[in-house]
Amino acid sequence: MKNKFCNFLGNGLYISNSSSDLKIAPCCFYQNPTIIQNLNDNLSNLNLQIEKLLNDNSKKNLSHSACNTCILQEQSGIASYRQSSFSYKSHTKNEIVALTIDIDRKCNLACASCNENDSSLWYKEKQKFGLPVKDSVITMHNENTTENLIKIIDAILQLDLSKIEWIKFGGGEPLLSTSHLHFLTKLSEKIDTSNVTVNYTSNYTVIPKHNVFDIWKKYKKIELSGSIDGVYDQFYFFRWPFKFEKLQNNIKVLYDNCPDNVEFKIEHTVNPLNLYYYDELEKFLLEKFPSNKFGVPNYINIHPCWGHLGLESVNQKVLNLTKDKLGSDHKVVKLAEQVCDSTELNTKYLDNLDQMRQTNWREIFPDIEKYYV
Ligand code: SF4
């Protein structure tokens, strides 16, 4: 098809299970996924459902509201996922080129921007404090066993993956469990993976073992994207209970020990609290980790936060202060301008986090906290 809007519409597949159902979509940012209910009963139909999704997306390869994240990024001058989709070859409708597997919710962090749907530690924290959790989420965590994950992965391995160029693992923390390793090992037994790039969105708490490095060497490139939303106490507040000093140490160990085909990237989620401090993160990364040991520059991928810390809640005065500090053409400012509306930041949520974790968000973000009441 000529003049495609996005190469992932028809050749991209995202698979996620953030409740007891399975979600499939062309990519992780697509806002109108297909839901497959009662996963265990429908696992044998997965191929048919995926084939239908790829066909439908291929026929309607147009800009629409479900692609709003990419549209906003591009309007803010930020490179979008849609644009990156054209770095992969375009194939006929049923051939998967880019695959995201986002099914394993094991996580050792309970990030301020996250919740019990995506993190097993958040789920445990909610139970510890007697906070309500939906039945579907309880079921999902109960069923997030290695045995069940392997069943889903084996079903994915039945798909035609002969044209695959890029695989992404989401989470949870994907390096905490063995499901990624199971998939990569089996895939490397089925197809030539020397042209396949693998991407992990990781919290950088885990240093992989040598058996992981051995499998990684069978692939073209490994992109290790670390989620870093701030520095020092701000990092700790967002990525609780991971200390910034430990993060710095882990980055160094990863740099020194990962195989030569590993490239490091930073995923930065912009929210109403960290917007003003973006220059501090950039300064830290430029000074300490400008490139990997082979001189490949580290890339900072910026996107808006949604949920409790949604960027739409940025206060106008905070936005103006950030403009004064970073400049009105700065990509972070432009992103916030695209997203912000009159929604108020939920400060009660932040106060509750403080109570649960003995933090003090108002002391941690002293320049801007007074604008959030
Ligand atoms: S335009 Fe963006 S959101 Fe839509 S399918 Fe492509 S990458 Fe996904």
Side-chain angles (χ1 to χ4, degrees):
M1 182 192 285
K2 285 182 185 159
N3 302 324
K4 278 183 166 187
F5 171 66
C6 175
N7 225 6
F8 292 148
L9 292 167
N11 291 139
L13 176 64
Y14 167 72
I15 301 190
S16 166
N17 68 339
S18 57
S19 73
S20 51
D21 303 329
L22 200 70
K23 253 184 344 194
I24 55 173
C27 79
C28 59
F29 290 119
Y30 192 81
Q31 290 167 10
N32 187 18
T34 302
I35 308 291
I36 302 174
Q37 288 177 330
N38 305 320
L39 172 61
N40 285 334
D41 301 338
N42 283 312
L43 209 49
S44 53
N45 287 335
L46 189 62
N47 279 19
L48 288 177
Q49 304 250 22
I50 288 172
E51 206 169 296
K52 181 173 178 333
L53 176 92
L54 295 170
N55 272 324
D56 290 352
N57 286 328
S58 170
K59 280 187 210 144
K60 284 184 273 171
N61 201 313
L62 304 165
S63 170
H64 41 90
S65 56
C67 297
N68 213 19
T69 301
C70 288
I71 293 164
L72 284 173
Q73 282 179 318
E74 288 171 32
Q75 285 170 350
S76 313
I78 294 170
S80 74
Y81 218 42
R82 182 192 77 83
Q83 290 164 333
S84 74
S85 77
F86 292 103
S87 54
Y88 310 110
K89 288 192 199 101
S90 187
H91 290 281
T92 56
K93 54 197 173 194
N94 289 339
E95 289 165 332
I96 298 163
V97 174
L99 170 68
T100 300
I101 301 177
D102 185 25
I103 56 170
D104 195 335
R105 303 294 152 205
K106 268 185 227 76
C107 193
N108 49 0
L109 304 187
C111 300
S113 57
C114 191
N115 54 54
E116 69 279 13
N117 295 346
D118 290 325
S119 157
S120 55
L121 182 59
W122 244 122
Y123 174 58
K124 283 184 200 147
E125 285 291 294
K126 283 225 154 175
Q127 286 182 317
K128 180 171 140 191
F129 286 93
L131 298 166
V133 178
K134 281 189 202 153
D135 287 348
S136 62
V137 176
I138 295 171
T139 307
M140 188 262 297
H141 283 288
N142 288 341
E143 292 180 355
N144 199 237
T145 61
T146 304
E147 193 191 354
N148 284 343
L149 293 171
I150 296 294
K151 273 191 212 160
I152 301 172
I153 284 184
D154 285 343
I156 299 170
L157 282 160
Q158 298 307 312
L159 299 168
D160 177 4
L161 300 173
S162 58
K163 299 292 190 299
I164 197 140
E165 292 181 46
W166 191 75
I167 299 161
K168 174 175 171 157
F169 291 103
E173 167 49 42
L175 293 171
L176 257 191
S177 79
T178 54
S179 48
H180 71 108
L181 197 58
H182 178 79
F183 182 80
L184 294 181
T185 306
K186 294 277 176 202
L187 188 66
S188 70
E189 289 163 5
K190 268 175 82 120
I191 63 164
D192 173 12
T193 52
S194 61
N195 282 318
V196 180
T197 295
V198 182
N199 178 290
Y200 292 85
T201 302
S202 168
N203 59 28
Y204 281 174
T205 55
V206 180
I207 309 293
K209 300 247 174 0
H210 278 280
N211 61 332
V212 177
F213 291 160
D214 288 343
I215 292 296
W216 282 1
K217 287 176 193 164
K218 297 185 177 187
Y219 285 77
K220 178 181 171 188
K221 187 166 74 177
I222 306 299
E223 298 169 340
L224 210 47
S225 298
S227 302
I228 304 182
D229 297 335
V231 292
Y232 302 101
D233 286 352
Q234 293 181 359
F235 174 85
Y236 179 70
F237 183 80
F238 291 129
R239 296 280 158 192
W240 185 89
F242 193 24
K243 293 261 170 67
F244 189 64
E245 294 68 27
K246 183 85 176 108
L247 168 80
Q248 293 182 78
N249 181 62
N250 282 7
I251 293 177
K252 183 162 182 354
V253 175
L254 287 166
Y255 271 35
D256 290 345
N257 292 287
C258 282
D260 297 1
N261 64 340
V262 175
E263 243 178 54
F264 296 91
K265 297 187 170 191
I266 307 301
E267 291 293 332
H268 181 74
T269 308
V270 186
N271 67 50
L273 298 178
N274 68 6
L275 175 81
Y276 177 81
Y277 298 97
Y278 180 78
D279 54 338
E280 294 181 17
L281 171 80
E282 204 170 36
K283 182 167 175 279
F284 165 77
L285 292 171
L286 282 172
E287 275 176 7
K288 304 273 187 189
F289 306 105
S291 63
N292 72 10
K293 59 185 170 179
F294 305 103
V296 179
N298 294 328
Y299 178 74
I300 307 178
N301 185 32
I302 296 167
H303 41 89
C305 190
W306 306 111
H308 284 305
L309 287 178
L311 186 57
E312 70 277 7
S313 310
V314 68
N315 176 283
Q316 193 57 46
K317 289 197 178 106
V318 174
L319 185 52
N320 290 342
L321 282 174
T322 310
K323 272 188 202 172
D324 293 343
K325 194 179 183 205
L326 304 180
S328 41
D329 281 340
H330 194 283
K331 56 193 173 184
V332 163
V333 170
K334 289 193 149 192
L335 184 65
E337 282 178 334
Q338 295 288 343
V339 174
C340 73
D341 58 25
S342 50
T343 309
E344 301 238 326
L345 181 66
N346 183 353
T347 53
K348 196 165 182 309
Y349 169 71
L350 300 172
D351 294 339
N352 286 342
L353 283 183
D354 280 349
Q355 274 191 3
M356 291 162 77
R357 301 165 178 193
Q358 283 78 55
T359 51
N360 185 333
W361 72 272
R362 291 197 180 275
E363 281 179 7
I364 295 170
F365 302 94
D367 308 271
I368 49 124
E369 58 81 22
K370 57 180 164 290
Y371 301 109
Y372 296 111
V373 288

